């Protein structure tokens, strides 16, 4: 061409025009960064072997069946045998308050279920018996948190993480603001373990106060006052009180363990109750309960996130100026993150029926935009590097991001991700839980999954999981591309990234550390062998199986979580199989 503007600008453009040419290889040979469209057009278009696809689908089905069999008492709710649904526990909380002279209906309330971490850690360290998770834990392992107020409970803290919020906690909003604001905790059977009530600021009656009815608190806690001996109080209540009392006595379900009960009242009405054991920490005296290894792991992760954000800002500017950034893909990814975060906010935030809902809306929108912008920065900053130095890892991902969700390669990687997630969950359960027991070691602590107090909370958690997986998986893949570029040897890069991202399990038991390393190692292997999309699908689906409560008991109030997770994994595996192996290929294989 006589006009230079009409001539091919690069070797890769010449390769595109040649029959049978490989534009991706030509671009890499010329030292260019291939475009996202070029990466999406590269790679095999044919379907995978029907036999291989069937083996992956069978792996999913068999692993899910094995998972149901292995469930047993793998999580605390099953180990505690908690039969009372959150609605029942809420009614029980109101009954206890009425029995203590507080029958007024609140203007707002919130509830949650969580693991009593200090107790679980204490049992793991002090009870070497083989039945340590099947006896004496019902009263202390699970806490039902309930909070109510005569005014609207408006969470004040910014969410700052991908999980549903803003939510009411014991300290958000601060409990000392409103008179009548109260927090209480019950065990899984509805027995009182903690109570804190903010008394009135202005006293209405200056007459003689009645004596506190301590027996009412003991009845609410399911304890026999006659078995406890009065002692001097030593735990100060978190609210003002004019009368304090304390007792010591035996634990009703753990022989040999001495418990302490601390109570306080103001003008004859109870304002504080504490059920205390040797595992109970003085939270207001200890500001950081993390171990040295835990602090080191947190520091490493914070440094990684800071490096991704601030280093990413500089790389974004460079990539956009050079025309390397995948603006369209980054915008679609950020949009998907914002949608997921808004879904988590809609179903999981604490909403109020007042004008203050605008504040909660602003918080939710800000959190969604924060994660959308963060992922956009990370993607525009680091994706061009991976696209230039390891584009084969991004082929199916780029196709899916461009809307080609029915592509056979996309279907293959989704099927591989589902098979890897189901198999990893079974191996993880065997490695952490069953193999140590078969070798004669005490059983490890039951897992603490995401305790959804309602179906809406479960849906909110499902919306949040992809965002949490995106942050971790993109970090693994992009760091892998950098490490491979630096050390030049693929397996050395894989080892470096596996060790780096396994540091989050520092300070845990040996089994948990091995399990964490196995998860990261398998994620790295899948990313290298099949690409980013397969690794991301595996991580999301593994989290769905691992963090949602699983049970084979259909009468359990938390039963719905397990079937939903299994249906998602199995449904995505079947869909991926159908996309990877069209009906014609299946028919030919059968013939």
């Amino acid at each position: 061409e006589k006009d230079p503007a009409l001539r091919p600008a690069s070797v890769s453009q010449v390769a595109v025009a040649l029959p049978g040419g490989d534009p991706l290889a030509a671009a890499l040979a010329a030292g260019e960064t291939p475009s996202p469209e070029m990466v999406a057009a590269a790679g095999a278009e044919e379907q995978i072997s029907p036999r291989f696809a069937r083996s992956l689908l069978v792996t999913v089905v068999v692993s899910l069946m094995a998972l149901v069999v292995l469930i047993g008492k793998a999580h605390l709710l099953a180990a505690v045998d908690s039969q009372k649904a959150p609605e029942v526990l809420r009614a029980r909380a109101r009954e206890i308050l009425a029995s203590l002279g507080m029958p007024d209906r609140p203007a707002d309330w919130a509830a949650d279920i969580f693991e009593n971490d200090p107790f679980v850690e204490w049992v793991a360290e002090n009870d070497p018996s083989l039945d340590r998770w099947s006896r004496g834990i019902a009263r202390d392992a699970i806490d039902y948190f309930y909070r109510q107020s005569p005014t609207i409970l408006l969470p004040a803290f910014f969410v700052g993480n991908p999980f549903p919020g803003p939510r009411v906690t014991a300290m958000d909003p601060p409990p000392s603001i409103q008179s009548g604001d109260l927090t209480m905790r019950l065990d899984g059977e509805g027995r009182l373990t903690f109570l804190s009530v903010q008394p009135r600021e202005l006293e209405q009656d200056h007459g003689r106060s009645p004596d506190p009815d301590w027996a009412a608190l003991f009845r609410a806690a399911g304890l026999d006052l006659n078995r406890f001996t009065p002692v001097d109080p030593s735990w100060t209540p978190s609210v003002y009180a004019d009368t304090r009392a304390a007792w010591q006595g035996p634990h009703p379900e753990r022989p040999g363990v001495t418990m302490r009960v601390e109570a306080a009242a103001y003008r004859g009405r109870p304002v504080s109750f504490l059920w205390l054991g040797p595992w109970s920490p003085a939270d207001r005296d200890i500001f950081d309960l993390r171990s040295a290894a835990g602090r080191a792991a947190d520091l490493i992760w914070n440094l990684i996130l800071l490096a991704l954000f601030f280093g990413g800002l500089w790389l974004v500017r460079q990539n956009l100026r050079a025309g390397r950034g995948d603006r369209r893909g980054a915008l679609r990814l950020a949009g998907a993150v914002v949608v997921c975060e808004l879904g988590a906010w809609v179903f999981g935030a604490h909403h109020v029926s007042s004008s203050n809902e605008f504040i909660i809306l602003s918080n939710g929108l800000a959190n969604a935009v924060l994660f959308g912008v963060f992922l956009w920065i990370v993607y525009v900053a680091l994706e061009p590097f991976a696209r230039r130095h390891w584009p084969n890892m991004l082929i199916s991902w780029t196709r899916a991001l461009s809307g080609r969700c029915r592509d056979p390669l996309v279907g293959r990687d989704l099927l591989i991700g589902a098979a890897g997630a189901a198999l990893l969950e079974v191996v993880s359960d065997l490695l952490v839980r069953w193999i140590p027991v078969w070798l004669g070691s005490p059983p490890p602590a039951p897992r603490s999954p995401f305790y959804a107090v309602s179906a809406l909370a479960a849906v909110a958690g499902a919306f949040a999981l992809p965002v949490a997986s995106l942050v971790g998986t993109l970090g693994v893949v992009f760091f892998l591309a950098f490490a491979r570029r630096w050390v030049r040897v693929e397996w050395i890069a894989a080892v470096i990234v596996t060790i780096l991202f396994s540091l989050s399990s520092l300070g845990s038991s040996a089994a948990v550390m091995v399990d964490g390393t196995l998860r990261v190692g398998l994620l790295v292997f899948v990313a290298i062998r099949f690409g980013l999309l397969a690794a991301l699908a595996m991580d999301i689906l593994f989290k769905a199986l691992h963090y949602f409560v699983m049970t084979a008991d259909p009468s359990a109030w938390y039963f719905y979580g397990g079937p939903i997770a299994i249906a998602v994994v199995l449904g995505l595996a079947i869909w991926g199989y159908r996309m990877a192996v069209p009906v014609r290929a299946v028919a030919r294989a059968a013939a």
Side-chain angles (χ1 to χ4, degrees):
E1 291 288 347
K2 294 182 179 181
D3 184 359
L6 299 178
R7 298 172 189 167
S10 65
V11 174
S12 61
Q13 291 186 12
V14 176
V16 172
L18 294 176
D22 188 348
L24 184 60
L28 296 177
E32 300 176 358
T33 299
S35 67
E37 293 77 16
M38 190 180 297
V39 172
E45 292 290 346
E46 67 273 7
Q47 295 79 33
I48 63 175
S49 161
R51 178 179 298 178
F52 178 55
R54 283 197 300 271
S55 65
L56 290 174
L57 190 59
V58 169
T59 299
V60 173
V61 174
V62 173
S63 297
L64 292 177
M65 293 174 61
L67 181 61
V68 173
V69 173
L70 290 173
I71 284 173
K73 293 189 175 182
H75 57 84
L76 273 177
L77 282 175
V80 172
D81 194 22
S82 178
Q83 299 294 329
K84 290 183 170 57
E87 295 82 4
V88 176
L89 293 175
R90 180 195 171 199
R92 173 58 181 158
R94 295 296 308 137
E95 290 176 1
I96 292 175
L97 293 176
S99 69
L100 298 177
M102 293 172 274
D104 298 337
R105 292 179 62 86
D108 199 5
W109 65 276
D112 210 342
I113 291 179
F114 56 89
E115 172 186 321
N116 186 349
D117 292 326
F119 172 76
V120 172
E121 294 170 2
W122 181 85
V123 172
E125 294 175 0
N126 295 276
D127 188 351
S129 63
L130 297 179
D131 62 343
R132 60 181 178 176
W133 301 112
S134 59
R135 60 171 182 83
I137 66 171
R139 185 179 289 270
D140 303 291
I142 293 291
D143 282 331
Y144 174 78
F145 163 81
Y146 175 80
R147 183 171 174 183
Q148 72 174 39
S149 175
T151 61
I152 294 296
L153 289 169
L154 184 64
F157 296 158
F158 184 73
V159 181
N161 63 65
F163 295 102
R167 305 173 70 181
V168 173
T169 67
M171 299 303 295
D172 186 16
S176 60
I177 291 179
Q178 299 293 337
S179 300
D181 189 297
L182 68 87
T183 300
M184 65 189 306
R185 292 198 296 266
L186 310 178
D187 66 15
E189 292 301 313
R191 294 169 294 205
L192 182 67
T193 60
F194 174 86
L195 177 66
S196 178
V197 184
Q198 193 64 231
R200 288 186 176 274
E201 180 179 10
L202 179 62
E203 297 182 2
Q204 302 294 332
D205 184 7
H206 296 277
R208 182 181 180 278
S209 301
D211 294 331
D213 183 9
W214 304 125
L217 287 171
F218 275 78
R219 287 193 297 270
L223 301 173
D224 184 359
L225 180 58
N226 296 323
R227 301 192 64 191
F228 285 76
T229 304
V231 293
D232 292 332
S234 58
W235 290 65
T236 58
S238 58
V239 294
Y240 179 76
D242 58 17
T243 307
R244 296 170 59 194
W247 302 261
Q248 280 188 349
H251 192 291
E253 289 122 23
R254 296 191 74 87
V257 175
T258 299
M259 299 298 294
R260 187 179 185 91
V261 174
E262 295 260 356
Y266 175 69
R267 299 187 63 82
R269 298 184 64 178
V271 294
S272 179
F273 177 85
L274 300 174
W275 168 250
L276 303 165
W279 52 83
S280 301
D283 293 330
R284 303 203 305 273
D285 296 341
I286 304 174
F287 301 103
D288 192 348
L289 298 176
R290 298 172 300 170
S291 63
R295 288 195 295 270
D298 289 344
L299 177 61
I300 291 172
W301 277 109
N302 286 331
L303 291 176
I304 291 175
L305 291 176
L306 289 174
L308 285 174
F309 185 78
F310 290 105
L313 288 176
W314 181 81
L315 289 174
V316 164
R317 181 173 180 271
Q318 301 296 318
N319 289 334
L320 292 181
R321 292 182 64 182
R324 293 189 297 262
D326 182 9
R327 303 189 185 198
R328 178 180 299 179
L331 187 60
R332 290 180 175 179
L333 179 64
V337 169
V338 170
V339 169
C340 287
E341 282 299 293
L342 288 179
W345 171 83
V346 168
F347 294 104
H350 180 77
H351 299 284
V352 298
S353 56
S354 73
S355 59
N356 290 323
E357 176 66 16
F358 180 77
I359 299 176
I360 295 177
L361 171 61
S362 301
N363 198 332
L365 286 174
N367 197 65
V369 172
L370 169 68
F371 275 91
V373 170
F374 177 76
L375 265 298
W376 186 91
I377 291 174
V378 170
Y379 195 77
V380 175
L382 302 181
E383 186 268 346
F385 183 88
R387 187 165 15 103
R388 179 173 183 175
H389 298 287
W390 208 339
N392 292 329
M393 188 188 293
L394 304 177
I395 293 175
S396 60
W397 165 259
T398 308
R399 292 181 185 180
L401 201 58
S402 64
R404 295 168 56 181
C405 296
R406 301 181 67 86
D407 186 272
L409 198 61
V410 173
R412 182 206 71 171
D413 286 356
L414 292 179
L415 178 58
I416 289 171
L423 187 61
L424 178 60
E425 175 66 359
V426 173
V427 173
S428 174
D429 208 44
L430 287 171
L431 180 65
V432 175
R433 183 159 313 283
W434 298 108
I435 291 180
V437 174
W438 294 337
L439 295 177
S441 300
R447 69 171 58 168
S448 178
F450 172 62
Y451 297 117
V453 295
S454 66
L456 290 180
V459 172
F463 270 105
L465 281 181
V467 181
S469 292
L470 264 173
V471 174
T473 306
L474 287 179
V476 168
V477 170
F478 291 154
F479 268 85
L480 187 62
F482 276 105
R484 183 174 179 264
R485 178 64 175 170
W486 290 331
V487 301
R488 304 288 182 176
V489 181
E490 191 173 275
W491 71 267
I492 296 180
V495 171
I496 292 174
V497 174
T498 300
I499 294 175
L500 177 64
F501 281 83
S502 299
L503 294 177
S504 60
S505 59
L506 278 177
S508 304
S509 65
V512 172
M513 293 181 65
V514 171
D515 178 57
T517 304
L518 173 66
R519 295 184 197 176
V520 178
L522 184 58
L523 188 69
V524 169
F525 169 78
V526 171
I528 293 175
R529 179 65 180 82
F530 301 104
L532 171 58
L533 182 62
L536 180 62
M538 186 187 76
D539 193 59
I540 293 175
L541 297 179
F542 171 78
K543 282 183 170 63
L545 292 173
H546 193 74
Y547 291 123
F548 283 98
V549 181
M550 308 281 286
T551 180
D553 180 10
S555 65
W557 64 265
Y558 48 84
F559 175 74
Y560 57 82
I564 290 176
I566 290 176
V568 169
V569 175
L570 186 58
L572 193 61
I574 294 174
W575 187 86
Y577 175 83
R578 293 293 302 274
M579 295 303 104
V581 185
V583 178
R584 295 190 303 274
V586 176
R588 288 197 301 269

